[in-house]
């Protein structure tokens, strides 16, 4: 993503902690740009809107539909280029740094320090929220990307266990296809192709190989035989989706698993938010398991505040930042969103088995060096490099391109994006 602003705002607005506005001389307000518009997502962001209002804030909602956030990113760039930035926006990963470098973000260090964010956030995640030593974004959650979701009844009816290897996945898919069940519910949108790709890549390259390829952009790994095997598996999985997959929204694919039309979906645990919103019970109606292979692909949603004038807006930014990382919000929001709290001191007693599996795997991956930033969801790379990879992945998935040609296209696309 390249953001070229005319006369970027120099310096950063310093946001006082919300306590500084406690005497009520400013009425907190915020216009918030985000892309949480599906059933589960909307229920989750409503939690934030309600808490904001309960604390005297006036929330102006600016939802931009489109899973994965590409459309929201385009809308945000247009707003900022026009000199009309929202008060806050859903921005995450290296994109936070890109916006910071344009000089348009507010400094929320006072809120972060008043609320001890350094003491309650995992170090790797806190790093994403800081810009040159200041705090420039407030983290909301930890989503895991590398999940397989399944319809429990369909699997049982076909004598299938949750796959723990890609060979087992392929064998299960063949059985399901023969039984007339769509093996893999998928939405043919580039970010969804990328989501499946990175889960497959983690399983076949391993954690170290994934880090070399998609964090370090190591060309030997990108051009390796293992990467050819990743595209081979993607070609195999292309044969497991239905004829109407192209353009399908991710939550409609989740609905296909919910209603038994399809058996599996490979998607981040925002999909669990859809199951929960429909009243489905994990372990009974649907199953969750990490995709084959060792590791944990994290995707941390966050809000960045823009350098805007006005005490009311700055009070709104302080309140929003404080609420987002607050203990009560962290539990209620993440119960709805399908993610787990980003705070390390929030008990998971009220969370389900998928969430506790995620938390356990995250801790184990952190210990084992296999806790990795999702490339498909903007945590590992800046926009140009991530986009180069995704362009290749979706071109391969939607053509008869050979794995060898895909690897060459991948290497060329990355080289041209640097
Ligand atoms: C991700 C985002 C999640 C989820 C998903 C689908 O990029 O981090 O919160 O909403 O897109 O829209």
């Amino acid at each position: 993503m390249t953001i070229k602003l005319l006369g970027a705002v120099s310096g950063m607005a310093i946001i006082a902690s919300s306590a500084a506005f406690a005497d009520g001389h400013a009425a907190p307000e915020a216009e918030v740009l985000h892309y949480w518009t599906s059933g589960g997502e909307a229920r989750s962001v409503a939690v934030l809107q309600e808490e904001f209002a309960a604390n005297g804030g006036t929330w102006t909602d600016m939802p931009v539909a489109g899973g994965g956030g590409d459309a929201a990113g385009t809308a945000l760039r247009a707003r900022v280029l026009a000199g009309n930035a929202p008060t806050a926006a859903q921005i995450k990963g290296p994109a936070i740094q890109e916006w910071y470098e344009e000089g348009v973000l507010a400094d929320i260090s006072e809120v972060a320090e008043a609320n001890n964010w350094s003491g309650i956030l995992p170090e790797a995640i806190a790093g994403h929220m800081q810009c040159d030593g200041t705090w420039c974004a407030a983290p909301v959650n930890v989503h895991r990307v590398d999940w397989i979701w399944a319809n429990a009844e369909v699997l049982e009816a076909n004598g299938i266990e949750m796959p723990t290897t890609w060979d087992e996945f392929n064998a299960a898919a063949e059985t399901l296809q023969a039984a007339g069940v769509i093996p893999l519910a998928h939405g043919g949108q580039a970010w969804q192709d990328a989501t499946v790709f990175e889960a497959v890549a983690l399983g076949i390259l391993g954690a170290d190989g994934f880090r070399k390829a998609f964090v370090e952009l190591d060309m030997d790994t990108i051009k390796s035989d293992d990467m050819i095997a990743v595209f081979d598996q993607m070609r195999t999985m292309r044969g497991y989706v239905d004829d109407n997959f192209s353009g399908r929204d991710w939550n409609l694919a989740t609905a296909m698993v919910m209603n038994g039309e399809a058996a599996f979906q490979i998607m981040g645990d925002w999909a669990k938010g859809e199951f929960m919103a429909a009243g489905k019970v994990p372990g009974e109606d649907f199953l969750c398991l990490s995709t084959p292979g060792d590791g944990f692909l994290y995707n941390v949603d966050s809000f960045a505040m823009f350098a805007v004038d006005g005490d009311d807006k700055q009070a709104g930014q302080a309140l929003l930042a404080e609420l987002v990382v607050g203990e009560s919000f962290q539990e209620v929001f993440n119960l709805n969103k399908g993610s787990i709290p980003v705070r390390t001191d929030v008990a998971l007693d009220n969370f389900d088995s998928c969430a506790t599996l995620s938390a356990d795997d995250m801790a184990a991956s952190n210990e084992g060096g296999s806790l990795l930033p999702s490339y498909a969801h903007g945590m590992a790379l800046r926009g140009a490099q991530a986009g180069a990879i995704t362009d290749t992945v979706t071109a391969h998935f939607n053509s008869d391109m050979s794995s060898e040609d895909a690897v060459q296209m991948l290497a060329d696309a990355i080289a041209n994006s640097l």
Side-chain angles (χ1 to χ4, degrees), residues 203-254:
I204 293 175
L205 299 179
D208 290 341
F210 184 98
R211 180 181 291 106
K212 283 179 181 161
F214 302 118
V215 179
E216 298 165 8
L217 300 179
D218 170 66
M219 277 298 160
D220 289 339
T221 311
I222 285 165
K223 293 180 176 178
S224 65
D225 289 345
D226 282 349
M227 190 64 79
I228 288 175
V230 173
F231 282 103
D232 288 345
Q233 177 61 22
M234 289 300 288
R235 177 64 62 227
T236 299
M237 291 167 80
R238 174 66 178 74
Y240 299 147
V241 302
D242 65 294
D243 293 340
N244 301 316
F245 82 98
S246 182
R248 179 183 289 130
D249 286 335
W250 67 272
N251 52 315
L252 300 182
T254 310

Side-chain angles (χ1 to χ4, degrees), residues 35-36 41 67-68 92 143 191 250 270 299 301 337 377:
Y35 52 91
W36 287 331
E41 292 171 333
K92 58 184 175 178
H143 271 305
W191 73 272
W250 67 272
W270 46 91
N299 168 36
D301 286 311
K337 190 69 172 62
H377 291 273

Side-chain angles (χ1 to χ4, degrees), residues 84-95:
N84 177 28
T87 318
Q90 186 186 347
I91 301 172
K92 58 184 175 178

